[in-house]
Amino acid sequence: MGSGCLKVTKYFLFLFNLLFLILGAVILGFGIWILADKTSFISVLQTSSPSVRTGAYILVGVGSLTMLMGFLGCLGAVNEIRCLLGLYFTCLMVILITQVAAGLVIYFQQEELKGELSRIVEKLIEDYDPVNGEDKNLQDAWDYVQKQLTCCGWNGAEEWEKNNILINRSLTAYPCSCSNSSKDAEENTGFCSLDVGVNGTATYADWPVHKQGCVDGVQDWLKDNLGIILGVCTGVAVVELLGMILSISLCKNIHSEDYTKVPKS
């Protein structure tokens, strides 16, 4: 191939790696967001589920490595360093295989994740205690979810009847974050008292709360956010594949150019 084709390949590879660098930064940002978020449902997941926290660290690692590979690809393309392009190609192939494997694991474990979420939330509701400082972040995160999604409990408001504090109070109180009453609009956490008890006792049917559970809303939220993450990862995978093709092509072209420069005897 001529020097013109070599230059076109080189600059295309450089541009792809700039995009690669940006996408790597986005993946890194997602990982950091999962670890740092303390106000949404993701806090409940990463505090209670080791697999989610591990997944976040994997995202941070993959994002960092992707950015490094983007930098090496740019450097190798501009300076036409064959060994660096070969290293770049190998690392891209390893990252691509890892991403595909991780995606398959996530896809085939969806039902297991759903069951794990259900157990986490049911346990959280049962042990919910506004004065318990140890689990305050986790409890505040679940209150935030119920308030934002206008729902109550995982499958329904009746799950709050199993809460130990509410049982001791004969169910004459209810979670403020579940309330559909305007008088509780400013109350986002803890328990609110019923105005009038029924013979000193009550049931969840007497509470002024949303009766539907949060399971559908949370699943929609997870699909939306995981869809964004998977979309970005798919974009990175396409760029990786193109980068592999361009890097091996550039390697071949550099090799050919080197031989054409050897003087004939």
Side-chain angles (χ1 to χ4, degrees):
M1 287 190 182
S3 60
C5 185
L6 179 64
K7 285 183 180 178
V8 170
T9 305
K10 180 172 72 173
Y11 290 122
F12 261 112
L13 183 59
F14 178 79
L15 289 174
F16 271 116
N17 278 287
L18 277 180
L19 180 60
F20 200 44
L21 198 67
I22 294 168
L23 288 173
V26 173
I27 291 178
L28 177 64
F30 273 125
I32 293 173
W33 165 63
I34 291 172
L35 291 172
D37 192 348
K38 300 298 181 186
T39 58
S40 69
F41 186 70
I42 205 71
S43 173
V44 178
L45 294 181
Q46 66 101 2
T47 304
S48 304
S49 175
S51 59
V52 174
R53 182 179 285 271
T54 301
Y57 284 121
I58 290 173
L59 282 177
V60 170
V62 169
S64 302
L65 189 57
T66 299
M67 290 178 68
L68 177 61
M69 289 302 99
F71 173 74
L72 289 177
C74 288
L75 194 63
V78 171
N79 295 297
E80 300 180 13
I81 305 171
R82 290 190 66 209
C83 64
L84 197 56
L85 288 171
L87 175 64
Y88 170 75
F89 175 86
T90 304
C91 290
L92 276 186
M93 185 167 62
V94 171
I95 293 174
L96 187 59
I97 292 171
T98 303
Q99 282 180 232
V100 171
L104 290 174
V105 169
I106 291 171
Y107 179 79
F108 287 111
Q109 287 190 341
Q110 287 186 55
E111 288 304 314
E112 184 179 332
L113 179 60
K114 182 179 176 181
E116 186 178 359
L117 285 178
S118 178
R119 290 190 296 273
I120 290 168
V121 175
E122 286 173 4
K123 178 68 173 168
L124 174 64
I125 289 173
E126 186 177 330
D127 297 334
Y128 184 96
D129 182 354
V131 299
N132 184 359
E134 292 181 6
D135 296 327
K136 183 169 175 53
N137 287 337
L138 195 58
Q139 293 174 166
D140 287 348
W142 182 244
D143 282 326
Y144 176 84
V145 170
Q146 293 188 138
K147 194 77 173 180
Q148 293 298 312
L149 298 181
T150 60
C151 57
C152 194
W154 183 248
N155 294 301
E158 65 272 15
E159 291 179 344
W160 278 97
E161 288 187 325
K162 299 175 184 177
N163 178 265
N164 297 320
I165 292 177
L166 293 181
I167 290 172
N168 290 336
R169 295 175 65 174
S170 301
L171 302 181
T172 56
Y174 55 90
C176 297
S177 57
C178 289
S179 178
N180 58 15
S181 173
S182 58
K183 73 180 182 66
D184 299 322
E186 300 301 319
E187 297 293 336
N188 297 320
T189 61
F191 294 123
C192 296
S193 298
L194 279 172
D195 290 335
V196 179
V198 181
N199 297 323
T201 63
T203 67
Y204 82 94
D206 300 311
W207 299 343
V209 299
H210 303 287
K211 298 300 189 287
Q212 73 274 16
C214 299
V215 56
D216 292 333
V218 168
Q219 285 178 355
D220 290 341
W221 182 90
L222 285 173
K223 284 178 184 176
D224 291 342
N225 286 275
L226 287 177
I228 293 171
I229 294 173
L230 290 176
V232 171
C233 289
T234 301
V236 171
V238 171
V239 175
E240 285 169 352
L241 194 58
L242 291 171
M244 289 169 66
I245 294 169
L246 288 172
S247 64
I248 204 70
S249 174
L250 185 57
C251 257
K252 262 183 88 175
N253 287 344
I254 292 172
H255 186 61
S256 301
E257 287 288 312
D258 289 343
Y259 273 110
T260 59
K261 292 175 185 176
V262 175
K264 295 181 181 179
S265 56

